Amino acid sequence: MGYVDVAGAGFVLPDGRELFADVSFRVGEGAKVALVGPNGAGKTTLMKMVAGDLPIQSGTVARSGGLGVMRQFIGMIGDDRTLEDLALSLVAPTLGAAGERLRKAVAALDETEKSQIAYANALTHWGEAGGYDAEVLFDTVTVAILGKPWEEARSRIVRTLSGGEQKRFALDLLLRGSDEVLLLDEPDNFLDVPAKRWLEQRLRESNKSVLYVSHDRELLAETADRVVAVEGGGAWTHPGGFTSWHEARSNRHERMEENRRRWDEEHEKLKELVFTLKNKAAFNDGLASRYQAAQTRLRKFEEAGPPPLPPKDQAVRMNLRGGRTGKRAVICEGLELENLTFPFDLEIWYGDRVAVLGANGTGKSHFLRLLAAGGSDPDIEHKPVDGAPLAHVAHEGKARLGARVRPGHFSQTHDRPELLDKTLVEILWRGDEHRSGMDRAGSMKVLNRYELAAQGDQRFGTLSGGQQARFLVLLLELSGATVLLLDEPTDNLDLASAEALEEGLKAFDGTVIAVTHDRWFTRSFDRFVLFRGDGEVVEVPEPVWDVR
């Protein structure tokens, strides 16, 4: 059985800011340990340090047993990896290297003796590394997740799978694999509710040691043996499950406030004592030694420093404005998404809050991308206002946007390659055809509302998933969109940010259409459109999670 020990770990960002310090925790053999905390507190950075993706700046990280890692994002736009590439990236490094060697040998194979010998050697090396057992595992997983054998699926481009299919493939491969320690960063993102329940059961049944990051409260409550909270520049461990974590955190904060209050009181007493003895010693030489002793005591007390205050809760304020549009915001007539749905009709009215529900791979994200591109007959008025790249969506029938509708699209994979190497201030300051741009002071002001001011000079590509999500919502706020098309917007948001988004959507003067598997978030909507697994698209009176 494997384990992970983190002792005194610290990390300083490239700009010199300390992200966290003196973080210590243990993932014991067979334990399921959840990392929780605000977006940007350092959860993903800690995961990368444990995985070996980032250097250990201070402290130590010890591991035992094979290590399997699933990172936060798998298949991004512009990522042309195949399913075979993904599978080889999830197995042991020696096996992955043997697989890559075999692929190159196959690609170079011709009638020459040299290429044939190279192929034979690569094939032998693949077998010795455990490749044939791996192929059986790959086949088992692709049949279970995609319903196809490995030979048919291995060349498929990963980004052509839905986000949920990508995650389930990676999770099933890791959970069935031989690695004894798993690091899972946001494993529930993009999963529909039945898939989340599947993941909960698999984690409970697994004897592997698992360290994972999640914001799904139900999954945390069902699976976490203990909780490591990363907040306030450090971390602390709650030995119980997530159900009792909130109460433990509240009690801990109360103790911290009480300790700080007592420290402040003792500090004031010492300062008063020093002041009193100083005045008395001026008239009585016999008190000089007591005065010096009091000074020494005060100096040592202040050098030791006060106990920490509880970390400040986030105060994200989203000011989503929108604007009046025609009464009918979206009109679908005989719309059929190729190989995904049967023809369906749908009218969405100005001000509606529509939750788009259904299993992974049923066409929900394709539907949003079609609307974001302007529908089936886009014109300049309906081009997306947020600058996100949109692939063509094959379809029949019509999907029209109403008068004065300006769609703003939020992608579940945050696929904005044009932003990756720019700082947040640069993105806001330079502006684009939709935003005239604001000066640095204005940029920092709006970033502060989203708790992103400290990241103003940080590149978008280096932000945590939750910070990226908040910034993309900010771009929607500034874009002038009158219809928000949100694809899994809460997946990477911590609780405070998700609540801020919900409040912002309540005040939004426009129409909201959101694909979501977040059971809590869905309760804030008033219409529910279900993409069923049999290709039918229907409106239902209340949320439906198990589409069987």
Side-chain angles (χ1 to χ4, degrees):
M1 297 291 288
Y3 65 85
V4 173
D5 264 324
V6 178
F11 191 84
V12 177
L13 296 168
D15 62 6
R17 288 183 294 118
E18 185 178 73
L19 184 60
F20 53 76
D22 198 26
V23 170
S24 301
F25 62 89
R26 177 180 172 84
V27 182
E29 296 179 349
K32 310 299 182 290
V33 178
L35 279 179
V36 303
N39 296 141
K43 301 185 297 295
T44 295
T45 298
L46 263 174
M47 294 284 277
K48 289 180 177 179
M49 291 170 67
V50 175
D53 296 340
L54 285 176
I56 310 299
Q57 295 182 351
S58 61
T60 60
V61 174
R63 297 187 300 265
S64 173
L67 182 68
V69 182
M70 191 187 75
R71 292 165 179 82
Q72 195 169 28
F73 297 115
I74 296 177
M76 305 287 288
I77 281 184
D79 182 356
D80 293 325
R81 289 189 304 166
T82 65
L83 204 59
E84 185 174 16
D85 293 321
L86 176 58
L88 292 176
S89 73
L90 294 170
V91 297
T94 53
L95 181 58
E100 184 60 31
R101 176 181 173 182
L102 179 58
R103 286 202 307 174
K104 290 180 179 179
V106 170
L109 186 62
D110 54 28
E111 296 179 355
T112 64
E113 182 181 0
K114 180 179 179 180
S115 70
Q116 292 174 4
I117 292 175
Y119 170 69
N121 290 335
L123 198 61
T124 300
H125 186 57
W126 171 247
E128 292 173 346
Y132 297 121
D133 290 337
E135 287 180 353
V136 173
L137 174 62
F138 298 163
D139 188 71
T140 301
V141 172
T142 51
V143 170
I145 304 303
L146 304 177
K148 294 182 178 181
W150 175 242
E151 284 304 316
E152 290 184 24
R154 67 192 304 165
S155 299
R156 184 169 176 180
I157 303 299
V158 173
R159 57 181 166 78
T160 64
L161 302 175
S162 72
E165 289 170 328
Q166 295 171 21
K167 281 292 178 81
R168 283 201 64 180
F169 176 84
L171 286 167
D172 205 21
L173 189 59
L174 289 170
L175 287 165
R176 291 177 186 266
S178 60
D179 291 320
E180 297 174 350
V181 177
L182 299 184
L183 305 181
L184 309 178
D185 198 351
E186 304 281 11
D188 53 286
N189 282 6
F190 314 138
L191 296 183
D192 55 28
V193 174
K196 289 184 179 184
R197 291 171 178 161
W198 165 85
L199 175 59
E200 291 166 3
Q201 181 178 353
R202 293 293 299 276
L203 286 175
R204 287 195 299 266
E205 294 173 348
S206 176
N207 59 3
K208 298 178 184 294
S209 306
V210 184
L211 176 66
Y212 64 101
V213 175
S214 176
H215 298 301
D216 188 299
R217 290 167 292 173
E218 187 162 336
L219 182 139
L220 291 167
E222 290 291 330
T223 59
D225 299 327
R226 61 181 56 198
V227 178
V228 176
V230 184
E231 56 183 359
W236 60 281
T237 299
H238 172 53
F242 185 74
T243 303
S244 57
W245 175 76
H246 287 91
E247 182 179 359
R249 181 175 185 264
S250 177
N251 293 337
R252 180 176 185 269
H253 287 185
E254 288 178 3
R255 290 194 302 271
M256 294 174 73
E257 289 174 347
E258 176 64 17
N259 290 339
R260 183 59 176 263
R261 183 185 64 79
R262 291 180 178 178
W263 189 93
D264 289 338
E265 290 176 353
E266 182 66 17
H267 191 207
E268 287 301 317
K269 289 179 181 178
L270 287 175
K271 289 195 294 183
E272 289 177 6
L273 177 62
V274 169
F275 180 76
T276 300
L277 290 174
K278 177 182 179 181
N279 291 333
K280 290 183 177 181
F283 302 99
N284 186 344
D285 292 341
L287 294 175
S289 60
R290 288 184 59 191
Y291 170 53
Q292 291 176 350
Q295 281 185 307
T296 300
R297 183 181 173 189
L298 175 62
R299 185 183 72 254
K300 290 182 176 180
F301 186 84
E302 291 177 337
E303 287 175 352
L309 286 168
K312 178 186 174 184
D313 288 331
Q314 292 189 106
V316 179
R317 301 184 306 282
M318 299 180 180
N319 185 20
L320 297 163
R321 292 183 290 272
R324 182 76 197 192
T325 67
K327 289 184 178 180
R328 294 195 300 176
V330 175
I331 308 99
C332 299
E333 298 172 339
L335 178 62
E336 178 181 1
L337 303 180
E338 188 174 299
N339 298 322
L340 290 169
T341 73
F342 293 121
F344 66 94
D345 299 332
L346 179 66
E347 285 189 340
I348 297 175
W349 298 80
Y350 163 76
D352 278 350
R353 300 296 191 265
V354 182
V356 181
L357 311 176
N360 295 133
T362 53
K364 304 183 302 299
S365 296
H366 289 73
F367 176 58
L368 253 59
R369 287 199 297 270
L370 177 62
L371 298 182
S376 56
D377 187 23
D379 56 42
I380 191 167
E381 180 185 359
H382 292 139
K383 286 185 177 179
V385 297
D386 62 349
L390 294 168
H392 172 70
V393 178
H395 66 281
E396 298 290 340
K398 294 182 179 180
R400 296 184 290 112
L401 303 182
R404 298 183 298 280
V405 167
R406 303 187 70 199
H409 183 243
F410 178 101
S411 169
Q412 62 177 340
T413 53
H414 305 175
D415 39 16
R416 298 296 296 273
E418 78 282 7
L419 304 182
L420 291 177
D421 293 326
K422 295 180 181 178
T423 68
L424 305 192
V425 169
E426 285 176 338
I427 296 168
L428 296 175
W429 196 347
R430 293 177 181 178
D432 57 29
E433 59 179 313
H434 305 294
R435 296 187 297 275
S436 60
M438 57 185 72
D439 59 18
R440 182 177 179 84
S443 299
M444 296 302 290
K445 184 177 180 180
V446 296
L447 288 171
N448 189 56
R449 281 198 294 106
Y450 280 72
E451 294 276 353
L452 290 171
Q455 289 76 37
D457 294 315
Q458 193 172 331
R459 294 192 307 278
F460 177 80
T462 66
L463 299 178
S464 72
Q467 290 171 329
Q468 287 186 1
R470 271 186 275 151
F471 185 72
L472 292 176
V473 174
L474 170 57
L475 294 186
L476 286 180
E477 174 186 309
L478 300 175
S479 70
T482 56
V483 169
L484 298 180
L485 306 169
L486 310 177
D487 198 351
E488 305 282 11
T490 61
D491 263 0
N492 291 289
L493 294 179
D494 57 33
L495 178 59
S497 300
E499 290 176 345
L501 175 61
E502 187 178 36
E503 291 301 312
L505 294 180
K506 286 180 182 177
F508 178 68
D509 181 22
T511 307
V512 180
I513 307 172
V515 170
T516 182
H517 299 297
D518 185 329
R519 289 154 278 188
W520 166 75
F521 182 58
T522 302
R523 288 195 289 269
S524 64
F525 288 77
D526 51 32
R527 290 183 64 185
F528 309 98
V529 174
L530 176 64
F531 279 59
R532 297 197 328 206
D534 60 4
E536 295 288 349
V537 178
V538 296
E539 187 162 358
V540 292
E542 60 185 20
V544 174
W545 301 117
D546 191 342
V547 296
R548 292 176 298 177

